[in-house]
Amino acid sequence: TYVPFVREDNILYLSGQGPRQADGRLRTGKVGAGIGIDQAYDDARLTGLNLLAVIHSAIGDLSKVRRVIKLLGMVNAVPEYGDQPKVINGCSDLLVAVLGENGRHARSAVGMGSLPGNMPVEIEAIIRV
């Protein structure tokens, strides 16, 4: 029943993506317990690359992106962890680097007790095309 995106007129809703590597393996772990800020930032960046791949598969050309409207960044972290925004910057920074001003977006960055497959980061997005 899962689909990676739904398009409604000029809005593309992207399902949550995680840090899946090119070989298909998912990075796993909990931020603050074995995963530090640098690795978590890299995991969010990799998740951003996966979001861009979904966008490309949906519309065929990243130049058709008019605006990244909103991200919801979820961080699988220990309860006392408080740097979720710094983690999700890995994705946000990538989107701006690739899409320029069209990549700037509103965003939430929240902590979670767990995420599917024990992935450290999951991010979903709303895109205007």
Side-chain angles (χ1 to χ4, degrees):
T1 57
Y2 168 86
V3 295
F5 66 88
V6 170
R7 184 171 181 174
E8 183 65 30
D9 296 321
N10 65 340
I11 303 294
L12 193 62
Y13 298 88
L14 303 183
S15 295
Q17 298 292 317
R20 189 164 304 280
Q21 301 171 93
D23 63 6
R25 290 182 298 132
L26 186 65
R27 291 186 184 170
T28 61
K30 189 171 280 284
V31 180
I35 294 181
I37 185 68
D38 292 337
Q39 179 62 53
Y41 179 96
D42 288 344
D43 289 337
R45 184 181 186 285
L46 178 56
T47 301
L49 289 171
N50 291 327
L51 288 167
L52 289 169
V54 171
I55 295 168
H56 187 267
S57 73
I59 63 174
D61 184 352
L62 293 179
S63 71
K64 294 179 183 177
V65 172
R66 295 294 164 243
R67 185 69 188 240
V68 177
I69 297 170
K70 175 94 163 76
L71 293 185
L72 170 59
M74 297 162 275
V75 180
N76 179 5
V78 296
E80 61 276 7
Y81 194 77
D83 283 333
Q84 292 86 350
K86 290 180 183 176
V87 171
I88 302 303
N89 280 346
C91 181
S92 295
D93 293 346
L94 173 74
L95 293 176
V96 171
V98 171
L99 301 170
E101 285 302 308
N102 292 346
R104 293 201 184 278
H105 50 270
R107 183 184 86 182
S108 298
V110 298
M112 299 289 177
S114 66
L115 288 171
N118 196 36
M119 62 184 155
V121 176
E122 182 176 5
I123 303 172
E124 60 181 48
I126 302 171
I127 311 293
R128 184 168 67 95
V129 296

